Amino acid sequence: MKTDQPIRAKMVNNWLDIIQQLLFPPTCILCGNPGQAGRDLCSHCRLQLPANACCCPCCANPMDAVAAEADRSCGRCIGRPPAFDKVHAPFLYQDGIRYLITGLKFSARHANARLLAQLLTEHVGQNAQRPDCLMPVPLHKARYRERGFNQAIEIGRNVAAETGIPLDLTSCRRRRDTPHQSGLTSKQRRRNIKNAFELVRPVPCPHVAILDDVMTTGSTVHEMAVLLKNQGVERVDVWVCARA
Ligand SMILES: [Zn+2]
Ligand SMILES: [Zn+2]
């Protein structure tokens, strides 16, 4: 499979899209003003979103401008190199982005998934290599039943529709329902997530992008990347909307 094609969002190209835009004109989710460029976001709120501009070239952890300029990985990535190759995280987990993610996750506002996916697609389109497939971080089935959906899959479906990159929802399974990661130190997170996933079939892609809403310490995506690399996947990137 070719991996060097650019990642492009689809154009509004069919009459269903056009009719939908006429009947339901895009409205900014953050302020209620008319949306811009077919998105539920206005140009003012777009400029206010917290960009993750200076960050580690490996794990996308925010850095000061001088360190980011040197294009060297952060101390954490040098001390304990992660199994993934590169994280793409266009925003910080703050303000409007935090509002969009928590609204999707805890209030099931599915329109937020589409907007988050559009913003993520715009960023990876300019910065990332095109992967052969997208793999949303799976939820354990008990957690899935409780929430009714997996926010990573909701964002992933929209990114797949925008880019044409296939989704892989079946190869990786969460076999343990791990306690919530929030409030744990990074060492506790690593221990908590250890062996939480398994690959239930071979992944036929040399280049996989793991997809999630937000990345905190990276222990979850590291754990998935270890499995994928052990099974022969050559490159594992991580696409997340926000870096906490
Ligand atoms: Zn707005
Ligand atoms: Zn790093």
Side-chain angles (χ1 to χ4, degrees):
M1 239 178 283
K2 281 183 79 173
T3 56
D4 54 352
Q5 305 155 267
I7 302 161
R8 265 192 220 103
K10 71 174 170 106
M11 307 293 283
V12 176
N13 57 1
N14 65 52
W15 58 272
L16 273 175
D17 285 343
I18 294 165
I19 289 174
Q20 178 150 13
Q21 295 221 358
L22 287 172
L23 289 176
F24 308 102
T27 304
C28 180
I29 294 172
L30 298 176
C31 75
N33 282 333
Q36 197 219 7
R39 291 180 186 174
D40 292 326
L41 185 69
C42 74
S43 49
H44 174 76
C45 291
R46 174 68 186 85
L47 289 173
Q48 304 297 316
L49 292 178
N52 185 17
C54 298
C55 62
C56 169
C58 176
C59 74
N61 197 30
M63 283 176 150
D64 65 55
V66 177
E69 189 67 30
D71 204 33
R72 270 197 302 269
S73 297
C74 69
R76 205 190 289 172
C77 288
I78 292 170
R80 185 188 281 270
F84 49 76
D85 292 275
K86 187 168 177 60
V87 177
H88 293 278
F91 300 104
L92 301 171
Y93 188 55
Q94 294 169 2
D95 311 331
I97 287 293
R98 189 186 181 118
Y99 176 85
L100 290 171
I101 291 174
T102 53
L104 168 63
K105 221 156 148 174
F106 304 116
S107 306
R109 293 196 197 110
H110 291 272
N112 296 15
R114 190 178 61 172
L115 176 56
L116 288 164
Q118 287 165 336
L119 293 165
L120 182 57
T121 300
E122 182 181 274
H123 179 83
V124 295
Q126 290 160 5
N127 298 284
Q129 277 183 42
R130 188 181 175 91
D132 301 305
C133 74
L134 300 172
M135 192 175 280
V137 173
L139 278 183
H140 187 266
K141 56 181 187 291
R143 192 74 63 84
Y144 188 90
R145 270 199 300 269
E146 180 189 310
R147 192 174 290 164
F149 63 94
N150 173 350
Q151 72 282 356
I153 294 178
E154 296 305 306
I155 297 167
R157 279 193 214 287
N158 283 282
V159 173
E162 294 267 330
T163 61
I165 302 169
L167 272 185
D168 182 340
L169 302 179
T170 51
S171 299
C172 185
R173 202 170 69 88
R174 198 157 190 143
R175 62 177 173 190
R176 280 199 302 116
D177 190 15
T178 49
H180 284 282
Q181 297 275 76
S182 44
L184 301 182
T185 65
S186 75
K187 193 173 178 186
Q188 286 168 327
R189 281 169 185 257
R190 281 201 302 278
R191 204 175 301 149
N192 184 33
I193 203 77
K194 193 105 193 112
N195 301 319
F197 301 99
E198 64 179 338
L199 288 176
V200 292
R201 66 181 188 96
V203 179
C205 303
H207 181 185
V208 174
I210 298 171
L211 202 140
D212 210 354
D213 52 349
V214 54
M215 171 172 163
T216 306
T217 62
S219 48
T220 302
V221 290
H222 167 77
E223 197 65 21
M224 280 177 73
V226 168
L227 284 179
L228 292 165
K229 288 273 173 100
N230 284 346
Q231 208 220 39
V233 174
E234 288 161 29
R235 182 177 175 99
V236 178
D237 290 336
V238 178
W239 291 5
V240 290
C241 299
R243 192 69 166 81

